[in-house]
Amino acid sequence: MSLPIKENIYYVGAQDVERRLFDALIPLPDGTSYNSYIIRGSGKTALIDTVDPTKTQILLDNLKALGIQKLDYIIAHHGEQDHSGSIPAVLKVYPSAKVVTNQKCKDELIDLMMISDDKFMVINDRETLSLGDKTLEFIFAPWVHWPETMLTYLREDKILFTCDFLGAHLSTKELYFADINKLYQSAKRYYAEIMMPFRVSIKKHVETVRSLAPTLIAPSHGPLHNNPAFILDAYQDWVSDTVKNEVVIPYVSMHGSTQAMVDYFVKALEGKGIKALPFDLAEADIGELAMALVDASTVVIGSPTVLAGPHPKAVFAAVLANALRPKTKYVSIIGSFGWGGKMVEQLSALLPNLKVEVLAPVLAKGYPKETDFKGIDKLVEAIYNRKQ
Ligand code: FEO
């Protein structure tokens, strides 16, 4: 099914409603889509990105239904397979098409998809390509979220194709999504999981997009944005250095001792008017955890000592937080132990990317007692008094 966007510009991508996991890691509560677009110029026809290899046939059927007999260019913004995985199949049907991309992406596509060298047309940053009455301008946007990523601006129609950037894992049959709150949450989840580690680069790219003043943003996941300010303002907030006085508490408890500490901690924080966001790692959606990390000033990991170290689920949370590089300012650890161990040292060593102040941890021997709860009170006081 293709959908018209503007005259001679069509959506030809595929929905993946059933998909529930991305990268064998990220939960997809609302599925996702692999957006692909056809631009028919007066002289040439270009396909913007392809789809995940599992959906190749849908893309090919969409192109056929539109009557695309000759394809001149396949614009590859990004080497990752969910957008480039169908390029070999498209090239089989349209053998004269050239894959238009930058040198880095070309190298990736040769490595990942074994596309032969003669199929490529390599372009430079800000180079243009004429389709006749329509002009494509390529804008390199490295680290969104790979080093080769780029955007394409369709000048005459003021449409910016952004691939992963400004997207959302949200499957919908509509080009535009009416429920703006839902779209905001999906876009934030997507930012948290994929873009947040590259916050510094993303800041610059947000400015670049604003300077182009597109009237339509067409990413390669999720709905299009016919109000670019909505998504750009949201990104500006997320990438800013401003944090909220919120405490994210990823925790795990085996026999209730750490749970009792977390419960007390949450209540004490709320008593001071500080928002507490506890995530029981035994069942937490890590996408929700990632979203909470976007704004929070403080992360406190709760874990029992198991086999002389932190619980493996707490290790996972620490590794994840370290990889996502949130703008967190303060970190601490609470939990219980039976006979000793190196939990604090081991967890702290897993967070080298976070440029944070470490607040005094609170460790209880066995079930927490009066002195341990006093320690938690002190931790809450320290969080309360820190500058945000
Ligand atoms: Fe949607 Fe980085 O691929």
Side-chain angles (χ1 to χ4, degrees):
M1 179 191 63
S2 63
L3 296 167
I5 297 172
K6 278 181 109 172
E7 198 178 353
N8 292 322
I9 305 166
Y10 300 89
Y11 179 95
V12 288
Q15 300 298 314
D16 201 344
V17 186
E18 305 298 330
R19 189 164 179 178
R20 284 293 168 266
L21 206 58
F22 204 88
D23 291 344
L25 174 69
I26 298 168
L28 301 177
D30 303 301
T32 190
S33 66
Y34 318 109
N35 301 343
S36 185
Y37 304 93
I38 273 286
I39 304 171
R40 271 179 155 154
S42 56
K44 308 275 186 189
T45 299
L47 176 68
I48 304 272
D49 284 328
T50 67
V51 297
D52 190 87
T54 56
K55 301 291 178 187
T56 300
Q57 198 53 51
I58 293 176
L59 172 63
L60 294 177
D61 289 348
N62 289 344
L63 295 177
K64 195 174 168 192
L66 262 185
I68 305 293
Q69 289 177 345
K70 183 169 181 283
L71 200 56
D72 299 285
Y73 305 116
I74 303 168
I75 314 299
H77 284 134
H78 176 30
E80 197 165 10
Q81 291 89 332
D82 52 328
H83 308 293
S84 292
S86 298
I87 292 177
V90 174
L91 283 171
K92 266 194 189 150
V93 178
Y94 300 97
S96 62
K98 285 285 177 201
V99 180
V100 179
T101 192
N102 57 63
Q103 184 63 49
K104 270 197 184 118
C105 190
K106 174 185 169 182
D107 294 343
E108 288 176 4
L109 294 176
I110 290 173
D111 288 343
L112 293 168
M113 251 73 74
M114 284 75 77
I115 299 169
S116 68
D117 189 83
D118 62 316
K119 291 290 182 187
F120 288 92
M121 178 191 289
V122 173
I123 47 83
N124 293 309
D125 189 23
R126 295 291 178 159
E127 199 171 323
T128 58
L129 180 64
S130 175
L131 306 180
D133 59 345
K134 293 186 188 294
T135 313
L136 304 180
E137 179 182 356
F138 305 108
I139 298 145
F140 289 11
W143 298 112
V144 181
H145 58 133
W146 282 18
E148 83 298 4
T149 39
M150 64 180 211
L151 324 173
T152 296
Y153 191 45
L154 175 52
R155 282 181 176 172
E156 291 77 5
D157 296 277
K158 294 185 176 297
I159 302 176
L160 184 65
F161 298 93
T162 56
C163 198
D164 276 340
F165 189 34
L166 310 173
H169 285 312
L170 175 58
S171 177
T172 167
K173 288 202 169 75
E174 311 297 325
L175 282 179
Y176 309 100
F177 200 70
D179 184 344
I180 216 76
N181 291 328
K182 172 80 181 169
L183 178 57
Y184 180 90
Q185 292 303 320
S186 291
K188 186 173 186 180
R189 175 185 272 263
Y190 181 90
Y191 165 82
E193 293 163 337
I194 298 160
M195 299 291 159
M196 186 159 64
F198 308 99
R199 192 168 65 91
V200 176
S201 310
I202 302 282
K203 253 186 205 182
K204 281 184 274 176
H205 300 321
V206 168
E207 287 313 308
T208 302
V209 173
R210 280 202 198 275
S211 70
L212 291 166
T215 54
L216 184 64
I217 288 175
S220 292
H221 291 294
L224 283 68
H225 299 289
N226 53 7
N227 174 14
F230 160 76
I231 192 69
L232 292 171
D233 290 350
Y235 262 70
Q236 194 137 357
D237 179 31
W238 301 331
V239 300
S240 77
D241 295 329
T242 311
V243 289
K244 292 182 184 157
N245 197 5
E246 297 177 354
V247 182
V248 177
I249 312 162
Y251 76 95
V252 57
S253 185
M254 296 194 304
H255 297 292
S257 301
T258 302
Q259 182 73 58
M261 297 176 80
V262 169
D263 291 346
Y264 184 90
F265 184 42
V266 167
K267 259 195 185 160
L269 286 168
E270 287 171 352
K272 285 281 193 186
I274 301 168
K275 189 170 176 185
L277 298 154
F279 291 89
D280 181 349
L281 296 168
E283 56 193 28
D285 170 342
I286 59 160
E288 298 276 344
L289 173 58
M291 281 170 82
L293 292 172
V294 171
D295 307 307
S297 63
T298 309
V299 175
V300 176
I301 299 175
S303 174
T305 300
V306 51
L307 304 174
H311 191 288
K313 283 187 184 285
V315 170
F316 173 72
V319 170
L320 184 70
N322 186 61
L324 293 177
R325 294 173 182 258
K327 51 191 177 188
T328 309
K329 288 185 168 182
Y330 311 105
V331 160
S332 191
I333 295 163
I334 61 174
S336 74
F337 64 96
W339 56 88
K342 300 226 174 265
M343 184 170 79
V344 169
E345 294 87 331
Q346 289 182 17
L347 277 180
S348 305
L350 295 173
L351 300 167
N353 291 342
L354 305 191
K355 307 295 171 229
V356 291
E357 180 185 344
V358 179
L359 305 176
V362 184
L363 293 184
K365 188 169 192 309
Y367 197 82
K369 302 168 187 73
E370 195 54 37
T371 50
D372 306 311
F373 291 126
K374 278 195 178 137
I376 292 176
D377 286 336
K378 270 193 192 162
L379 177 58
V380 171
E381 203 58 37
I383 293 167
Y384 182 75
N385 290 326
R386 286 298 184 280
K387 229 174 62 193
Q388 301 306 317

